[in-house]
Amino acid sequence: MAHKSNVVAMLLAGGQGSRLGVLTKAIAKPAVPYGGNYRIIDFTLSNCVNSGIYTVGVLTQYQPLELNDYIGNGQPWDLDRQNGGIHVLSPYEAIGGKEWYKGTANAIYQNINFIEKYDPECVVVLSGDHIYKMNYSKMIDFHKKNDAACTIAVIEVPWEEASRFGILATDENDKIYEFAEKPEKPKSNKASMGVYVFSWDKLKEYLIRDEKTAGSSNDFGKNIIPTMLNSGERMFAFPFKGYWKDVGTIASLWEANLDIINPNVDLDLSDPSWKIYSRNPVSPPHYIGKNAKVESSSVSEGCEIDGNVDYSVISSNVIIEEGADVRYSVIMPGTTIKKNAKVYYSIVAENAAICENAKVGEIPELLEKPENWGISVIGAKAKITDGKYIKPGEMIKSGEDV
């Protein structure tokens, strides 16, 4: 594929991810571990490289330290380059020393100088908290062919979920004639994926106009897109088929993790033609003891498993002692689950400890009142002491001993 230096990707990774509760107390949402060997941001970065886009600005804001360390010089994604490469853009170095990005559009506005340096034809605006594989170069070709000012990737979502998204209406040529941000009564189920291609001259014009508009939320979905549409700009929807998940809630993060072991889901992380790259510490191969039982699960390197694991994602360097029982759960790196502990339908964050005979979560089918059920969440470095019971849907803070 030709090297597209005429394209700059801007990846919005500053979100607080407050709906993920204890999981994003100390780290930005895009840095949350996923699927045993990845972080959420790996998908967008890998999509860029696989699409031939090698100039990437990552806009960070909330709890950026771990994300910055993780990205480093961009080497795992082949983004450690002399020309272009990866740049972490935090608001502290922004125009006029403004401290904080006010909205998604303001974040890009504050980095106009960075984009100008590359004088691109197109700018791709991406989000750091979606799990999907997508060839952006096809979307860029579609954008150019339609002589568009803006192209928005869309996916059809279930009607009952449509009010969570920006919803657009299109004609038979995929031209957008209406856009509504999180409408109460959606008119279509074509949802914006938060993946935009803009012609740079147009984007710059509208960012500057938006910045001068009093009372604007400086947001793409609420302000930039509707303003461009009302001004009669050529805007098109690029239909996307395939797996895409916005992992903004505990339930969706849990589902997206278990999707990697679901044979009916189209998310092959081992596909050599579209590799998902990540920065992984090298660990020894995993060890599964002779009395252990592991079924329909993903087990990463460095694990020691002597217990029972069923339909779960076990990240690197996790220890599961004998008699322990883990089902339908996501266990993040470095966690220890001691003898006879039970972990059901839960997310356990990094370096937590579930001590002997403790129980976290429940199997919904076995509850008398399944409507009270939810995913249990244990924060990073938390410790659940011997024999303790954590109810379904309960959240334990990072570093807490319970």
Side-chain angles (χ1 to χ4, degrees), residues 111-247:
N111 290 286
I112 282 177
N113 296 350
F114 168 78
I115 300 172
E116 286 284 60
K117 213 164 57 177
Y118 297 97
D119 190 25
E121 188 182 343
C122 296
V123 172
V124 186
V125 177
L126 303 164
S127 164
D129 50 9
H130 296 150
I131 304 284
Y132 67 118
K133 297 199 283 191
M134 181 179 184
N135 189 341
Y136 303 136
S137 60
K138 286 184 178 163
M139 184 173 168
I140 293 164
D141 292 343
F142 174 90
H143 174 84
K144 290 179 179 169
K145 194 181 85 205
N146 285 308
D147 189 27
C150 167
T151 301
I152 302 176
V154 297
I155 191 163
E156 290 189 3
V157 294
W159 277 94
E160 62 274 14
E161 284 183 29
S163 56
R164 282 179 44 209
F165 298 97
I167 295 294
L168 16 102
T170 55
D171 68 13
E172 65 282 1
N173 299 319
D174 293 312
K175 193 164 192 271
I176 301 168
Y177 62 84
E178 197 177 335
F179 178 84
E181 179 71 8
K182 301 186 179 167
E184 273 179 40
K185 297 197 170 113
K187 292 183 187 171
S188 99
N189 66 337
K190 286 183 177 161
S192 162
M193 293 164 58
V195 174
Y196 308 109
V197 175
F198 290 96
S199 299
W200 173 228
D201 54 347
K202 289 290 184 191
L203 176 59
K204 189 164 84 171
E205 178 190 326
Y206 283 93
L207 286 175
I208 292 168
R209 189 199 289 193
D210 180 65
E211 195 62 27
K212 292 176 179 158
T213 306
S216 171
S217 325
N218 307 121
D219 183 84
F220 277 101
K222 293 187 192 119
N223 309 107
I224 301 281
I225 304 295
T227 305
M228 287 182 79
L229 202 55
N230 295 339
S231 305
E233 296 291 355
R234 287 177 65 79
M235 301 178 75
F236 285 80
F238 178 74
F240 176 75
K241 299 269 185 284
Y243 182 91
W244 177 80
K245 203 163 210 133
D246 174 354
V247 286

Side-chain angles (χ1 to χ4, degrees), residues 11-72:
L11 202 161
L12 297 158
Q16 193 167 344
S18 51
R19 291 176 301 163
L20 291 179
V22 298
L23 297 178
T24 48
K25 261 287 171 276
I27 59 172
K29 184 160 65 166
V32 169
Y34 167 81
N37 299 314
Y38 305 95
R39 307 267 182 149
I40 295 170
I41 198 169
D42 288 334
F43 287 80
T44 315
L45 290 178
S46 300
N47 286 342
C48 284
V49 173
N50 289 332
S51 304
I53 300 171
Y54 295 107
T55 304
V56 182
V58 179
L59 294 97
T60 62
Q61 165 152 297
Y62 173 79
Q63 295 286 14
L65 284 176
E66 193 161 340
L67 185 60
N68 294 355
D69 284 352
Y70 182 71
I71 291 170

Side-chain angles (χ1 to χ4, degrees), residues 35-36 253-255 257-261 296-298 308-315 320 325-332 337 342-348 360-363 373 375-378:
L253 179 65
W254 176 80
E255 276 168 26
N257 269 279
L258 296 190
D259 280 344
I260 70 167
I261 47 182
S296 316
S297 295
S298 160
N308 171 45
V309 177
D310 183 23
Y311 212 84
S312 294
V313 173
I314 312 296
S315 307
I320 298 176
D325 189 18
V326 178
R327 302 187 203 182
Y328 286 82
S329 291
V330 177
I331 313 296
M332 292 184 182
I337 298 171
K342 293 177 171 47
V343 178
Y344 299 145
Y345 288 82
S346 298
I347 297 177
V348 181
V360 177
E362 287 286 0
I363 296 168
W373 178 84
I375 304 287
S376 310
V377 182
I378 308 298

